[in-house]
Amino acid sequence: MREIKAELIKEIVKDLFIKTNYFAGKDLLGKFKEAVEREESPIGKSVLDQIIRNAQIAAEEKIAICQDTGMAVLFVELGQDVRIVGGDFNEAVNSGIREAYEEGYLRRSVVNDPLFDRKNTGDNTPAVIHIEIVKGDRIKLIAVPKGFGSENMSAVKMFTPAEGVKGVKDFVVETVLKAGPNPCPPIVVGVGIGGTMEKAALLAKKALTRPLDRRHPDERYAKLESEILDLINSSGIGPAGLGGRTTALAVNIEYFPTHIAGLPVAVNISCHAYRHAEATI
Amino acid sequence: MDDAIRINTPVTSEELKMLKAGDRVLISGVIYTGRDAAHKRLVELIQKGRGLPVDLNGQIIYYVGPAPAKPGYAAGPAGPTTSGRMDSYTIPLLEKGLKGMIGKGTRSREVIEAMKKYGAVYFGAVGGAAALIARSIKKVEVVAFEDLGTEAIHRFYVENFPAIVIIDSEGNNLYETEPPKYRRG
Ligand code: SF4
């Protein structure tokens, strides 16, 4: 049993959420540069220029890339030979969020009750925590602050197996077209296929933690990713929805076995503020 | 942005008539912020026949909930939020003289019709360009609904705030005219 202090988890969660809100990743900056060179629309080009300059300013001044610093989503891959000591795990995570949003000048965007009170919790907690038990004696933490301009444009649908590849393609493209300018394109599209309804949604979210320069290891899924990306970029929606070739930067698919009778598909959209950061303890 | 049109607030319908969808603008003067919660309260006040905490005549509302400012900064990152959520509250504000809105994303048919009727313009700021936009905000004051935190109504003093005319006072709409030009297949 390896012991890991709750305090250390708190510090790392705090650091990850601040870092990913301030600094656009290399993968993302690389995609922006490719896009601005390719973009044919003058308005689209100027939007991409503003997005690039914005990322530079945020990094230089150490301020948030976007004012919507998100609801805090944390993926945890917890090694089964780890014992957490010196405090409560959930409390450690939420303390990390609390301190990150306070000391990092990030916006608190969480309300306590979704339907009736809708009162701001004041510290951006609670986080949405997804824990998976894995082999080994390490903990991997992946921080994903999720803005709701794009979250609100996401969708889940249960297909029949017969609807197959075509059903999946049409649904993803349709969801993106319906979203139009709202999720701050150029977007990244996370797609979860298989499992059960909630598993598909979780896979779609997890797909949004993949670096943009990496394709699916299974060739068939990698091909599907690039085919859907082409379809999306043929839509003309463009940067900020003001027309152009760059509507999405990537389509990331994750899959899981499913039931003989089903084909669940979830689409989770991320805006161009594609924020994710990870650390292994 | 050398080709940008400079405008100062408050604005008149006559000035706004000159603006066409696709024009780049740099806005200077005072603008007010408001999101869902503040809009809801404004409309409730109007329905009760009460006065509004800000005079909207000739003014522009920016749909934004800024992040906190670091010490030494006038404003924190402040990019636009999705405008569609304000659609159901917008028409009563246009009736009260509101002339411009800054946000991102589509507007409803009803709002566009009302904009034509009252000679108002919908500007777009680049969603997510929050750190860049913050540079044009020189001073910030909370003017109403302070309890709403980031959603309170703030008065922003802006200089050369970068925006683009998305829907002009005749109802021309960039979201409808631009994407088809780049559609393939
Ligand atoms: S969708 Fe993303 S970039 Fe747009 S406002 Fe929300 S967090 Fe920011």
Side-chain angles (χ1 to χ4, degrees):
Chain A
M1 269 305 189
R2 177 172 166 234
E3 293 194 341
I4 294 180
K5 289 206 175 81
E7 179 68 18
L8 180 63
I9 293 169
K10 185 200 84 179
E11 287 303 324
I12 288 173
V13 166
K14 172 181 169 185
D15 183 59
L16 288 176
F17 276 94
I18 292 180
K19 201 166 79 185
T20 193
N21 269 301
Y22 290 177
F23 306 109
K26 277 208 194 77
D27 57 334
L28 182 61
L29 293 171
K31 286 280 174 194
F32 287 159
K33 296 224 170 76
E34 274 172 46
V36 87
E37 276 160 29
R38 228 180 318 125
E39 185 52 70
E40 294 164 21
S41 147
I43 300 178
K45 242 191 193 348
S46 97
V47 169
L48 290 169
D49 278 335
Q50 285 193 49
I51 290 172
I52 293 170
R53 262 179 48 221
N54 182 67
Q56 285 164 349
I57 292 171
E60 275 165 31
E61 301 190 0
K62 298 200 175 62
I63 55 175
I65 298 166
C66 183
Q67 80 290 338
D68 184 354
T69 48
M71 183 157 196
V73 178
L74 187 74
F75 284 98
V76 182
E77 292 171 20
L78 175 64
Q80 63 185 18
D81 299 328
V82 172
R83 208 167 84 88
I84 293 155
V85 294
D88 175 274
F89 176 79
N90 289 308
E91 185 40 39
V93 170
N94 284 319
S95 298
I97 304 288
R98 194 172 294 127
E99 289 182 15
Y101 280 71
E102 173 80 38
E103 294 167 31
Y105 297 93
L106 308 178
R107 196 182 78 184
R108 277 81 105 179
S109 318
V110 175
V111 291
N112 64 335
D113 174 291
L115 201 51
F116 297 108
D117 304 338
R118 292 200 70 88
K119 197 170 155 304
N120 199 301
T121 60
D123 58 7
N124 220 56
T125 67
V128 175
I129 306 173
H130 303 296
I131 302 175
E132 199 185 329
I133 309 280
V134 297
K135 273 192 213 142
D137 63 357
R138 291 166 169 259
I139 301 181
K140 184 170 167 187
L141 301 170
I142 311 176
V144 192
K146 192 65 179 69
F148 261 53
S150 48
E151 190 73 358
N152 281 342
M153 299 294 116
S154 305
V156 184
K157 197 167 169 183
M158 309 302 282
F159 285 93
T160 61
E163 288 168 289
V165 172
K166 179 163 188 320
V168 173
K169 273 191 185 171
D170 289 351
F171 176 55
V172 179
V173 174
E174 195 184 289
T175 304
V176 171
L177 289 183
K178 218 162 51 189
N182 294 352
C184 291
I187 57 175
V188 178
V189 186
V191 184
I193 308 177
T196 45
M197 192 258 275
E198 85 288 2
K199 180 71 182 179
L202 201 52
L203 290 169
K205 175 73 85 249
K206 190 92 189 259
L208 294 179
T209 64
R210 193 203 292 170
L212 294 172
D213 40 23
R214 216 177 290 159
R215 300 315 336 134
H216 199 284
D218 182 325
E219 244 170 63
R220 296 164 305 171
Y221 283 92
K223 184 162 161 274
L224 186 58
E225 288 176 348
S226 76
E227 284 171 2
I228 297 177
L229 182 63
D230 279 347
L231 287 171
I232 291 171
N233 285 333
S234 303
S235 68
I237 293 172
L242 295 171
R245 293 282 187 233
T246 326
T247 303
L249 300 171
V251 175
N252 295 347
I253 301 177
E254 296 295 332
Y255 75 86
F256 194 81
T258 192
H259 189 276
I260 45 173
L263 174 57
V265 182
V267 181
N268 195 200
I269 298 182
S270 165
C271 48
H272 63 75
Y274 185 60
R275 295 163 290 196
H276 57 95
E278 57 180 68
T280 303
I281 311 174
Chain B
M1 294 276 258
D2 290 339
D3 53 344
I5 300 169
R6 282 160 207 275
I7 55 175
N8 290 292
T9 61
V11 289
T12 63
S13 292
E14 287 63 47
E15 289 172 78
L16 293 183
K17 260 198 199 107
M18 317 285 286
L19 296 179
K20 298 291 163 230
D23 285 346
R24 273 160 233 237
V25 297
L26 293 169
I27 302 168
S28 298
V30 162
I31 59 178
Y32 290 97
T33 74
R35 300 172 44 105
D36 318 50
H39 271 74
K40 186 162 180 263
R41 289 200 191 169
L42 287 176
V43 170
E44 279 166 6
L45 287 172
I46 293 173
Q47 282 165 349
K48 286 185 194 145
R50 300 243 200 94
L52 295 181
V54 285
D55 179 7
L56 292 177
N57 225 333
Q59 297 299 346
I60 296 178
I61 289 190
Y62 180 24
Y63 302 141
V64 61
K70 269 193 169 178
Y73 284 74
T81 192
T82 307
S83 310
R85 293 196 319 272
M86 266 55 77
D87 279 348
S88 59
Y89 304 118
T90 298
I91 297 173
L93 303 185
L94 291 170
E95 286 167 354
K96 290 277 171 201
L98 178 70
K99 283 287 172 259
M101 297 150 286
I102 310 172
K104 62 159 174 128
T106 45
R107 305 309 304 257
S108 70
R109 250 311 110 217
E110 295 75 21
V111 167
I112 297 173
E113 285 309 313
M115 284 171 51
K116 281 158 67 178
K117 181 167 168 201
Y118 295 104
V121 166
Y122 174 51
F123 301 96
V126 174
L132 173 81
I133 291 169
R135 288 197 163 177
S136 66
I137 305 167
K138 302 302 173 192
K139 201 170 122 192
V140 176
E141 293 164 354
V142 175
V143 292
F145 313 143
E146 195 168 356
D147 60 301
L148 294 179
T150 185
E151 295 208 60
I153 298 185
H154 297 73
R155 186 184 285 128
F156 279 4
Y157 295 83
V158 295
E159 266 173 45
N160 297 326
F161 179 106
I164 184 165
V165 177
I166 294 189
I167 306 174
D168 63 28
S169 56
E170 288 171 1
N172 299 306
N173 184 349
L174 274 196
Y175 289 140
E176 279 169 10
T177 55
E178 287 300 304
K181 295 183 191 166
Y182 302 94
R183 195 167 291 152
R184 276 183 300 194

